[in-house]
Amino acid sequence: MTAPTTHPAHHPGPDLGGRTALVTGAAGGIGRACVLRLAAAGAKVRAVDRDAEGLEALTGQAQGLAGVVEPQTLDLTDLDAAEQAAAGTDILVNNAGLQLVRPIEEFPPDVFHTVLTVMLEAPFRLIRGALPHMYGQGWGRIVNISSVHGLRASAYKSAYVAAKHGLEGLSKTAALEGAEHGVTSNCVNPGYVRTPLVERQIADQAAAHGLPEERVLADVLLKDSALKRLLEPDEVAEAVAYLCGPQASFITGTSLPLDGGWTAH
């Protein structure tokens, strides 16, 4: 007699009801997926981005979820405003990023400065703004959307690689300081994700390597990945939600690669 087929119980993930989260770069890609995932878990999510129209569309998408989405238009190069925006948050997801692919000798210094400001200095200021509340209540979750480029370098991405390597160190420092206060800090390290940022990179890499765009994905971006596909934003959001839940309370100061086996080399 054939045994009945069984299926694992469905786990909807952490219950974040009553928690306030802040997600930067919220209007698209990974940020949008994180906002929707945390709101689905019941959190009140401050969705921060400089793209007001994108935030408006995101707010419409969030209708009917267990939590609520509060859009906040903000340019993270305004560091004082970034720090103030993080006050009172229980969960902080540092996601905002930008990319330019150029050889170092051709890399515009002003763009290098902007990348480091948005992707390293702004996360520092956001963490600085969030910690007093987290410490006061003895609970907090910091999730930094790093990258496989926080663990490995690639040519022509000096600013992005420098920022992500710096973010890794900042995250570990926050973990060591926050442990006694019930605050965890971790990085999530995606490989190439199906986002507008990656679509722009394909065009940039095609120019840098002199390749047709259709070859860039297989021959450049995914060359070192065992899994030959792009990661989906929802997959990153699930990892973020896991790190915010009670089952991840002993995970801190670490980096979670979602890289299709890239760093297994």
Side-chain angles (χ1 to χ4, degrees), residues 35-52:
V35 168
L36 295 173
R37 182 64 185 87
L38 296 177
K44 178 174 71 174
V45 187
R46 299 176 188 169
V48 173
D49 203 292
R50 62 181 181 179
D51 178 3

Side-chain angles (χ1 to χ4, degrees), residues 107-150:
F107 206 100
D110 61 326
V111 177
F112 191 95
H113 174 74
T114 299
V115 171
L116 269 289
T117 300
V118 171
M119 294 173 54
L120 182 55
E121 194 167 359
F124 160 71
R125 295 292 293 270
L126 286 153
I127 292 171
R128 189 174 188 271
L131 283 181
H133 172 72
M134 292 181 178
Y135 284 2
Q137 68 182 3
W139 191 94
R141 295 287 183 268
I142 300 166
V143 184
N144 298 299
I145 306 300
S146 180
S147 167
V148 69
H149 283 109

Side-chain angles (χ1 to χ4, degrees), residues 121-195:
E121 194 167 359
F124 160 71
R125 295 292 293 270
L126 286 153
I127 292 171
R128 189 174 188 271
L131 283 181
H133 172 72
M134 292 181 178
Y135 284 2
Q137 68 182 3
W139 191 94
R141 295 287 183 268
I142 300 166
V143 184
N144 298 299
I145 306 300
S146 180
S147 167
V148 69
H149 283 109
L151 307 173
R152 300 286 189 273
S154 289
Y156 310 120
K157 298 182 179 180
S158 55
Y160 190 89
V161 171
K164 293 300 191 185
H165 274 65
L167 185 64
E168 295 281 328
L170 175 64
S171 182
K172 291 173 184 176
T173 301
L176 295 177
E177 294 184 12
E180 66 180 293
H181 303 285
V183 175
T184 66
S185 176
N186 293 287
C187 286
V188 174
N189 301 71
Y192 289 100
V193 185
R194 193 183 306 278
T195 65

Side-chain angles (χ1 to χ4, degrees), residues 42-138:
K44 178 174 71 174
V45 187
R46 299 176 188 169
V48 173
D49 203 292
R50 62 181 181 179
D51 178 3
E53 290 184 5
L55 289 177
E56 184 178 354
L58 170 63
T59 305
Q61 282 185 281
Q63 296 299 318
L65 296 179
V68 298
V69 173
E70 298 180 344
Q72 182 173 356
T73 305
L74 175 65
D75 187 331
L76 291 179
T77 59
D78 185 343
L79 296 170
D80 289 340
E83 183 170 330
Q84 292 166 11
T89 55
D90 308 304
I91 296 165
L92 173 63
V93 181
N94 284 311
N95 166 72
L98 57 154
Q99 175 68 283
L100 180 67
V101 180
R102 294 285 189 282
I104 291 174
E105 71 275 17
E106 298 175 11
F107 206 100
D110 61 326
V111 177
F112 191 95
H113 174 74
T114 299
V115 171
L116 269 289
T117 300
V118 171
M119 294 173 54
L120 182 55
E121 194 167 359
F124 160 71
R125 295 292 293 270
L126 286 153
I127 292 171
R128 189 174 188 271
L131 283 181
H133 172 72
M134 292 181 178
Y135 284 2
Q137 68 182 3

